[in-house]
Amino acid sequence: MTFYKKLSPFYNLMVFYCIISFLLRIVLLFHPITQSSFTILESLKIFSLGIISDVFTFIVASVFLWLYLIFISNSKYNKPYGYIILSVFVGLFAYVASGKSIFSEYGGALPKIVLIFIGIKTALSALLLFLPALKDKIRYWLFAFVMFLYVLLILQNALSEYFFWNEFGVKYNFIAVNYLIYTNEVIGNIMQSYPVIPLFSALFLVTGIVTYFILKGSKNYINAIPSFNEKLKISGIYIVLFAISLFAIPNLAKTENSKNVFVNELQANGLYKFYLAFQNNKLDYFKFYKTSPEQKAYAILKEQFPAISGEKMIRKITSDSTENHKNVVLITIESLSAEYMKMYGNQQNITPFLDSLAQKSLQFTNLYAVGNRTVRGLEAVTLCLPPTAGESIIKREDNKNKFSTGFLFNQRGYNVKFMYGGDAFFDNMQDFYSGNGYKIVDKSSFTPEEITFSNVWGVCDEDMYNKAIKVMNAEAKENKPFFNHIMTVSNHRPFTYPNNKIDIPGDIKSRDGGVKYTDYSLRKFFAMASKQPWFKNTVFVIVADHCASSAGKTELPLDKYRIPAFIYNPEAKPAKYNKLMSQIDLIPTLFGLLHFSYESKFFGQDVLKPDYKPRAFIATYQDLGLIKDNVLTILSPKQEVKQFDLELNPKPGIAPEYQIDYNEIPMKTQRTDLVNETISFYQTASDMLKKREYQKSVNINPKIDSGFKQASLKNDKQITRSERSFQ
């Protein structure tokens, strides 16, 4: 038997992994979400460099296989070594089982996992030591189990990559890392969204068949265990390849530099993308991004906010009218892309109520979400701050006592609540909102009688709105205004909702159905609210948290960030605001309409003021973008800066203010003014968070010196009309 055959477990599994990765790339290439065409050179790049990356990634991932194989031995079960090894395992088992081990300090499931692993090793050592006649069979079946496990993980990873692409149009990213934390919701979502039993039955069947053939080609290793010298050779070869792989993988990743994002994603290895996302969940802006001297960054910021006093962000917002303490209901709607609404070109009539409500409201027709996760949308309307790199502030440790929407309402004597139909523990919402002065109403607040339908994400929107009406009726009796922030859940995969509500059955799990049911529930909410005595004294703010999908040809495709938003006041005349704006501007604009006077740290602005300069922020967890003057500027890690000219790609039959499709054309010459401005916004926001200067502990007094008066809005007839309607 040649030495080459001693490597058979490695190369058989590696060939299988590369075949699966190759087939996966073909499937993803033709997936409907991959809205792109590829040149021959791009296709060659995807598959050639992709397969090389797969080989090196497998070498690194097979480190556990190498450790298992080199420790297979007969000599270690000879006396007295066998007894010594068994004694060590028994001692370790007792140490972990005592509950006083180092693993117990970490808590959670870790001590149990370690205890189970050591227990299995102890039992196997005892069997191999005391039942030598069964040693070969036990070892063979253990070897078969390890092969089965590797095949299963390879196939499971391919399935996971497919479903992740199906949801987000990319390989693993930061979202996948988050999914490891909230396993209950994620596993529940999978269970309710896909035919899990047939899927996993097929998975295990295919795994068994593949394992059988791989075992046939690899069992020579176990039938004739390599000698010590042969193991040294195997280890030498593996260690050299391992070292080469550690160098090659990140360098191959640098070749993922196409202007077409789909080319980069398809070329990339999913496991390495997951590793990068795990490493980059905390991104220090000052370490990874292009910066300016601090004084210059704040000087540029002050040009955007002339009212800033001093060196930092604090500025006085004053009104020449008395503050209007109307009730406010802010509804952030899950995954409501602009393209779902009629005015933006949708012909399926899936948002009839929202379409009609928009015509009765102050519409913001050119508003962009800051990100592609719910926590980013919630962060935007709560903190009115540009999206900083890495994890959302909501999920960071330092997420409490911030200068927030809730703080300003609390200061004026409002009852302030965050309402969510699911478990507010998810995405750290409970910790964030309770730490910023909000009372929490979530699924745990519901009685069994109040829940008519729920899925893994929580109660259906109808149940949430019914609960909200009860809460607001109780609040109205306290003779205090209320601010209630409601986050919806029904328009989320698996898109299940009660049947017989709309003309799309809830059990077919349709995204269009999820949108239409969300719209239906909102109509019922307004029907109930309109009968309440507090209704006419209430302002309703409706906005999406983010779009339904963020996949596109570029890093930041504009059409995947455009969202509907409007403010409805039952006693106000409808109006439109068509200038470019950001999700972070919505609440400051509301405060302007309510004539609030306050000292602000918000980066968001009242867009109805004549000194507002149109711009919008859009970002992923690592790419930070600014839209201004028909240019998209993107800051990326490693101090990279890209700029794109935005060329409107108009669609017939849609009014100019509702056009959302733009071609992003790389600029040959950078506009340094916009680069500096983008750096200024993101650097100063990161700086204030890092130095804990975005806390609420500013000396804020709603009765601000009357000497600080804002510019009058009387020159803008449309805006003046909107302001008057709120008085």
Side-chain angles (χ1 to χ4, degrees), residues 365-507:
T365 65
N366 197 7
L367 184 145
Y368 285 86
V370 299
N372 50 23
R373 296 293 315 280
T374 294
V375 284
R376 287 301 193 184
L378 295 177
E379 175 189 291
V381 296
T382 305
L383 301 181
C384 306
L385 185 75
T388 48
E391 186 60 275
S392 165
I393 297 166
I394 290 177
K395 301 180 71 174
R396 298 180 192 177
E397 291 181 9
D398 180 24
N399 66 357
K400 299 175 179 63
N401 299 313
K402 300 297 181 189
F403 186 82
S404 68
T405 299
F407 169 60
L408 290 174
F409 277 118
N410 266 316
Q411 190 187 46
R412 285 157 176 76
Y414 278 69
N415 279 320
V416 175
K417 289 184 175 67
F418 175 71
M419 300 183 178
Y420 179 59
D423 184 348
F425 167 78
F426 182 73
D427 268 346
N428 212 41
M429 289 184 281
Q430 180 167 323
D431 183 62
F432 171 74
Y433 279 105
S434 62
N436 284 284
Y438 290 70
K439 293 179 181 178
I440 307 296
V441 177
D442 69 353
K443 189 177 180 181
S444 65
S445 308
F446 286 66
T447 64
E449 294 75 23
E450 291 175 322
I451 302 175
T452 64
F453 181 92
S454 65
N455 62 19
V456 66
W457 294 112
V459 303
C460 63
D461 285 355
E462 283 179 275
D463 291 346
M464 181 68 257
Y465 290 137
N466 288 335
K467 182 73 170 181
I469 292 291
K470 290 181 181 180
V471 170
M472 288 185 270
N473 283 341
E475 288 175 323
K477 294 176 182 178
E478 298 179 26
N479 294 319
K480 292 174 62 178
F482 56 75
F483 167 65
N484 291 318
H485 182 172
I486 302 172
M487 178 69 222
T488 75
V489 301
S490 289
N491 187 32
H492 194 297
R493 192 178 298 277
F495 306 115
T496 56
Y497 46 86
N499 281 318
N500 303 315
K501 300 290 184 176
I502 59 173
D503 56 5
I504 304 174
D507 48 17

Side-chain angles (χ1 to χ4, degrees), residues 24 147 200 269 301 400 563 570 597 636 653:
L24 178 64
M147 294 294 106
F200 277 88
N269 179 275
L301 186 70
K400 299 175 179 63
I563 56 173
S597 294
S636 299

